[in-house]
Amino acid sequence: MNRKYRKTIISGNWKMNKTASQTKAFAEELKTILPKTKWCEVVLCVPYVNIPAALKAFRDTRVAIGAENLHAESSGAFTGEVSADMLKDLGVKYVIVGHSERRWYGGEDDLAVNRKVHAALSAGLHPIVCVGESLEQRNLGVTGELIALQVKTALSGVPADRMRRVVIAYEPIWAIGTGENARAEQANEVCQSIRTVVRKLYGARVARSVTILYGGSMNEQNAYELLAQPDVDGGLIGAASLDAEPFMAIINASNQGE
Ligand code: PGA
């Protein structure tokens, strides 16, 4: 982290977990242990149907609510889909774009991710753009090129003044939900390479201020070391964000000196 230049973000990603009443119960518990001092932005990305409950439960707190997906079009004949404007109008601040599970199950490619990034930005949302390699790709030694291509395509056409709202999350697919996190230096190496791509596209100032998260089996045991890395500016946390205590432990792990 480098809190002098950029925001630290600890974001949960609940995936397809919890009902609205479980969302409320989680919020009640987290609110009792959440400290008043704000050293990082705390975000919870929840299923669409839980967004109203989450917004209500976390009203008047520092916790921002995010969605886990959105549609690239602003309206129209897209049965079952949700637009950026609908999310913004509810009070949502963040939206995950291009999570590997969406790329895999939803068939989203880099170009689709780019369209969704534009939709999110046009509506005033903060996209959390996910990139990451599979184990096969890592073993082939193409991680750097692959991540650079994912980042460049996702950001294609995004003007520099909108980059203030863009968050990038490095999530190696082999680390997601597997209990096998990337080693801290491995995570930092890729996050640093993402910053280099952003520098080439937008210059040093934007690169220095862009928040780059790590995600993939981050938990209360490994968070401190991962977050101590200079280019890891926070975490996107799946399983460990489903209970208030481990999630709070990760928030606490981001409160470390530089
Ligand atoms: P995990 O999920 O923390 O359960 O590995 C992270 C993510 O998919 O964002």
Side-chain angles (χ1 to χ4, degrees):
M1 296 180 297
N2 188 331
R3 276 190 265 143
K4 186 167 159 215
Y5 293 120
R6 46 196 179 255
K7 198 187 275 184
T8 299
I9 298 175
I10 301 296
S11 176
N13 171 17
W14 279 1
K15 311 192 179 189
M16 196 174 73
N17 289 294
K18 293 195 193 292
T19 61
S21 42
Q22 289 167 336
T23 302
K24 195 169 163 234
F26 175 96
E28 292 316 318
E29 195 184 340
L30 187 66
K31 281 195 282 189
T32 61
I33 52 176
L34 199 66
K36 295 269 176 293
T37 11
K38 183 170 172 167
W39 60 81
C40 69
E41 172 101 324
V42 179
V43 182
L44 267 182
C45 297
V46 303
Y48 287 141
V49 291
N50 293 341
I51 289 173
L55 284 166
K56 189 165 173 226
F58 284 108
R59 195 177 43 209
D60 303 326
T61 73
R62 50 183 286 208
V63 179
I65 302 303
E68 300 175 8
N69 184 31
L70 79 168
H71 195 272
E73 296 298 327
S74 55
S75 65
F78 302 101
T79 304
E81 297 290 346
V82 171
S83 76
D85 284 338
M86 293 175 190
L87 297 173
K88 179 69 180 169
D89 185 61
L90 275 182
V92 166
K93 187 169 176 191
Y94 290 87
V95 59
I96 297 173
V97 180
H99 189 281
S100 61
E101 286 149 20
R102 298 246 17 114
R103 291 179 189 254
W104 179 249
Y105 303 118
E108 281 179 25
D109 60 11
D110 290 339
L111 293 170
V113 171
N114 176 247
R115 287 192 289 275
K116 291 187 175 196
V117 168
H118 281 283
L121 289 170
S122 299
L125 296 167
H126 292 58
I128 302 175
V129 186
C130 299
V131 296
E133 82 288 5
S134 67
L135 192 57
E136 291 84 343
Q137 288 162 332
R138 174 161 281 268
N139 291 340
L140 282 174
V142 297
T143 300
E145 288 101 313
L146 186 98
I147 301 282
L149 185 66
Q150 288 179 346
V151 172
K152 276 187 205 161
T153 313
L155 298 180
S156 175
V158 173
D161 62 335
R162 288 197 164 179
M163 281 301 291
R164 269 180 299 114
R165 277 193 278 121
V166 173
V167 178
I168 301 171
Y170 167 53
E171 295 211 311
I173 297 167
W174 47 271
I176 295 175
T178 58
E180 191 199 335
N181 61 286
R183 279 183 288 108
E185 317 78 63
Q186 271 177 332
N188 193 64
E189 189 187 350
V190 180
C191 289
Q192 192 180 47
S193 78
I194 292 171
R195 203 176 303 287
T196 303
V197 173
V198 174
R199 184 176 303 118
K200 283 184 189 149
L201 293 172
Y202 295 100
R205 263 219 354 235
V206 172
R208 199 171 61 183
S209 61
V210 68
T211 294
I212 304 176
L213 313 179
Y214 166 77
S217 300
M218 189 186 268
N219 57 35
E220 62 273 49
Q221 277 87 41
N222 58 34
Y224 191 90
E225 201 190 346
L226 284 161
L227 296 169
Q229 300 298 312
D231 284 290
V232 177
D233 304 316
L236 185 57
I237 300 123
S241 72
L242 291 172
D243 291 305
E245 286 208 0
F247 189 51
M248 189 60 228
I250 297 172
I251 296 169
N252 281 329
S254 75
N255 187 16
Q256 43 182 289
E258 265 120 39

